[in-house]
Amino acid sequence: MSYQLIIGDKLYSSWSLRGALALELAGVPYEETLIKLNQPDTRQRILAFSATGKVPLLKTEHGVIADSLAIAEYLNERHPDAQLWPADVAARAQARSACAQMHSGFLALRSAMPFDLSRDQALDSAPLEVQIDIDRIVALWSECRLVAKESGGFLFGKASLADAFFAPVAVRLRTYRVEVPAEAAAYIETIYQWPAFQAWQRAGLAEREG
C-alpha cells in the first residue's frame, strides 16, 4: 500500500495541512508532492492528478481521493487500528459534526483571515460576521471537550481527525492575535506543540525564507 499526497504551499494551504495531519495520525508512510499555488502552471499541474483542480489530493491504490474530508474518512476506513476518530460513540459523533461544520462553514473568518503561517499581526478591526465565526468556533471547541472521554489537551483528549481539521483555525487565531478564553488559548498551544504540526510549520516557514 503506497500513498502520494499532492499539496499546495505549506505556508498558505490550510486544506493541505489537514490532509497531511490526517496521514500523520494514521501513521503510514507517504510520498509528498508540492505544487506551488498561484503560478501560471498551477492548475495544469494539479489537473495532471485530478480534474478537481484543487489540493489536497491523495493518490491511492483505489484511485485519487479529492477533498480533505474524503481523505480523512478513507484513511479511517483503511487504518482502523489508528483510531483516527474518538472511540466513544458520543464523542465520535461530535467530532464528525465539528469537522463537517468546519468543512462547510466559517466563510467570513476564512475570507477576512487568510491562512499564513508567517503572519503575526492583528486585523485593524474584525467585522461582526468574523467575530460571530470566532465565537462559534470557541463554543464548538468547548462542546467537544464536554463529551471527551479521554484526558489530554486535544479536542477529545488525544489527537484525532478533529484536531487535523481545526489546526488551521488555531493558526489563524494565533497569527491574527485574536484574544480567546483561556481554554481555547490552551488548545491553540496544544496544536502548536504537536510534533506533526511543528514539522509542517517549519517547512512552511522555510518556503518563505527560500
Side-chain angles (χ1 to χ4, degrees), residues 1 9 37 52 62-63 65 71 82 89 94-95 108 110 120 193 202 204 208:
M1 182 183 303
D9 307 62
L37 304 177
T52 65
H62 300 105
I65 312 300
I71 290 170
V89 174
Q94 179 63 31
R110 294 184 199 176
D120 184 20
Q193 294 303 316
R202 286 192 299 271
R208 178 192 59 178

Side-chain angles (χ1 to χ4, degrees), residues 51-112:
T52 65
K54 297 179 180 180
V55 291
L57 300 162
L58 184 64
K59 191 174 181 180
T60 78
E61 61 184 304
H62 300 105
V64 176
I65 312 300
D67 188 275
S68 57
L69 190 55
I71 290 170
E73 290 290 11
Y74 175 83
L75 292 172
N76 177 66
E77 182 178 319
R78 297 294 292 164
H79 305 284
D81 291 345
Q83 296 183 325
L84 302 186
W85 293 116
D88 178 75
V89 174
R92 187 165 63 251
Q94 179 63 31
R96 279 195 163 104
S97 173
C99 288
Q101 291 177 62
M102 179 66 256
H103 189 262
S104 62
F106 307 114
L107 300 181
L109 180 141
R110 294 184 199 176
S111 177

Side-chain angles (χ1 to χ4, degrees), residues 112-114 116 118-127 130-131 134 171-180:
M113 301 166 61
D116 180 351
S118 67
R119 183 186 174 92
D120 184 20
Q121 183 178 351
L123 288 175
D124 292 335
S125 62
V130 174
Q131 189 59 52
I134 292 169
V171 170
R172 284 180 166 96
L173 296 181
R174 174 162 289 191
T175 57
Y176 285 84
R177 299 185 183 180
V178 176
E179 293 187 13
V180 294

